[in-house]
Amino acid sequence: MSRDELITLVADRDAGIAARDAQITVMAGQLAELIEANEVLAGKLARLEHLLSRNSKNSSSPPSKDDDPGKTPPPVGKRRGGGPTRSRGKQPGAAGANLAWTDTPDERRDRFPEGSCECGHDLAGASDLGVVDRYQQHEIPQVSVKVTQYDQHRVRCGCGRVHTAERPVGAWAGIVGYGPNLAAFAVYLMVVHFIPAHRCVALLESLTGAAPSVGFVHGMLERTAALLDAADQRIRTLITRAHAVSCDETPLKVGPRIPKPGKKKAERYLLVAATELYTHYLLGDRDLDTFTAFVFTDLVDTMIVHDRYQNYDTAVLESQVHRLSCLHLLRHLAGTAEVYLAVHAPIQIA
């Protein structure tokens, strides 16, 4: 090859090498971007896996969230003391529960054979040979609404003064109303068993024959709350005398259906302050105004045990001794042990 041809060939080679180097540089940049994106995705995946692994045993997540799609269910724990996990139903060796025979029944009924013997004689005239079988049946009487009319009389004393009999306990202002037993039963169904007002009316009608209106049944909640106001204030006062108070807050699906501005859910919160003997409730929001209106403001040098919600750090509660619930401590330690597998401290602390 001539000198010019060799120069051209070398120039082409150098151009090819330069193009390849440029391509390698671009690919290296793309590879760095891919590595960085992979690290970001790996971090998001780890975060997602961490969130999905949170349950009621290793975090403050409520047990109701354990069954959410994708959630890692909590492990089946052992019984306290290291024993095996309890199975459902009656435990081996546990005392059984059954209807016991009573020597003082409320009523006794003698039963004799009825009809005729094969010989044709009526068994009503047969000789009594004594009791050969006994059976006790626990039964409730058939409940039906009973209407009682109370006529309040007016009398005149010999001195001339006039007196009028009072209406019975639980009487309403009108001339017709439901008695306190039926009203208390309606409140019991709604409050203790969470039966809606419409179903409560249907249940009362099916069992007793009484068919109060839905408005009456629902209105009994407010009336009962007014009757229990004095007891509620007394419980609140007794809690302020306690050395340690357990505090918590939980959401309730009550109130308006449309969330307030800035809120994601239309729900209220039930604040709880409890001791070994008493429990005080307040329905409100999970905000500082509700915390300020709660029994916290009446406590003096009291140890409050809670779940470390941010409102407990308010200046209103500075005078109290704060303690994190042991149950929440164990949950956080369990979560820490799952994240940092090589660290033994969380297990040792627990």
Side-chain angles (χ1 to χ4, degrees):
M1 299 179 64
S2 64
R3 180 176 180 276
D4 294 336
E5 291 176 340
L6 289 174
I7 292 175
T8 302
L9 179 62
V10 172
D12 293 340
R13 183 200 62 184
D14 292 341
I17 293 175
R20 185 182 62 183
D21 291 342
Q23 186 178 6
I24 292 175
T25 302
V26 173
M27 294 178 62
Q30 293 176 345
L31 179 60
E33 293 177 356
L34 290 175
I35 293 175
E36 183 180 358
N38 183 65
E39 291 177 353
V40 173
L41 291 176
K44 292 183 177 180
L45 178 60
R47 173 66 176 169
L48 180 59
E49 291 178 345
H50 175 73
L51 293 176
L52 291 177
S53 66
R54 300 302 87 189
N55 50 56
S56 58
K57 296 296 184 181
N58 56 20
S59 69
S60 297
S61 176
S64 59
K65 298 293 185 180
D66 290 343
D67 295 332
D68 286 354
K71 279 282 189 178
T72 301
V76 180
K78 295 183 179 180
R79 294 185 61 189
R80 292 182 179 179
T85 303
R86 288 169 57 98
S87 59
R88 293 185 178 182
K90 180 179 176 298
Q91 303 301 309
N98 63 300
L99 288 176
W101 182 270
T102 176
D103 295 329
T104 57
D106 300 307
E107 184 181 359
R108 293 177 181 270
R109 294 184 182 180
D110 293 316
R111 294 179 58 82
F112 294 91
E114 298 177 351
S116 301
C117 180
E118 287 82 353
C119 65
H121 290 85
D122 189 354
L123 293 178
S127 301
D128 184 7
L129 302 181
V131 177
V132 295
D133 180 35
R134 285 186 172 92
Y135 173 73
Q136 291 184 348
Q137 186 179 62
H138 293 243
E139 179 62 293
I140 61 174
Q142 184 175 358
V143 180
S144 60
V145 62
K146 179 181 179 181
V147 180
T148 303
Q149 179 176 324
Y150 295 92
D151 298 323
Q152 284 67 238
H153 288 259
R154 180 174 295 170
V155 298
R156 185 187 302 276
C157 180
C159 66
R161 293 183 176 89
V162 176
H163 302 269
T164 303
E166 296 182 354
R167 287 190 169 192
V169 176
W172 296 75
I175 60 174
V176 179
Y178 291 104
N181 288 342
L182 189 144
F185 188 37
V187 174
Y188 170 75
L189 293 176
M190 289 187 292
V191 175
V192 179
H193 296 284
F194 304 100
I195 297 179
H198 290 80
R199 291 181 57 190
C200 183
V201 170
L203 186 60
L204 288 173
E205 186 175 6
S206 300
L207 294 180
T208 68
S213 66
V214 176
F216 167 81
V217 172
H218 190 271
M220 285 307 305
L221 293 174
E222 184 175 358
R223 189 180 186 195
T224 305
L227 294 174
L228 295 177
D229 182 68
D232 180 65
Q233 294 300 323
R234 182 173 298 179
I235 291 174
R236 177 178 177 134
T237 303
L238 290 171
I239 286 181
T240 62
R241 306 287 297 173
H243 171 67
V245 178
S246 175
C247 308
D248 196 15
E249 63 287 334
T250 184
L252 287 181
K253 293 182 178 180
V254 298
R257 296 179 179 269
I258 302 176
K260 293 182 178 180
K263 298 288 186 179
K264 296 182 179 179
K265 297 180 179 180
E267 60 185 10
R268 305 292 298 278
Y269 276 85
L270 185 68
L271 271 66
V272 179
T275 65
E276 293 181 348
L277 298 178
Y278 308 105
T279 303
H280 178 60
Y281 303 94
L282 178 65
L283 182 64
D285 294 319
R286 208 181 185 192
D287 53 18
L288 192 57
D289 292 338
T290 302
F291 271 68
T292 304
F294 200 37
V295 70
F296 299 138
T297 55
D298 298 333
L299 301 178
V300 179
D301 296 330
T302 304
M303 179 187 298
I304 54 176
V305 185
H306 51 78
D307 58 0
R308 207 173 57 184
Y309 178 57
Q310 60 183 8
N311 282 2
Y312 290 107
D313 294 330
T314 178
V316 179
L317 305 180
E318 285 182 349
S319 62
Q320 316 304 334
V321 180
H322 295 257
R323 290 291 183 269
L324 183 61
S325 165
C326 290
L327 180 60
H328 286 82
L329 277 173
L330 291 174
R331 290 174 181 173
H332 292 311
L333 290 170
T336 304
E338 293 178 3
V339 175
Y340 304 99
L341 300 178
V343 180
H344 301 289
I347 300 176
Q348 293 172 341
I349 295 174

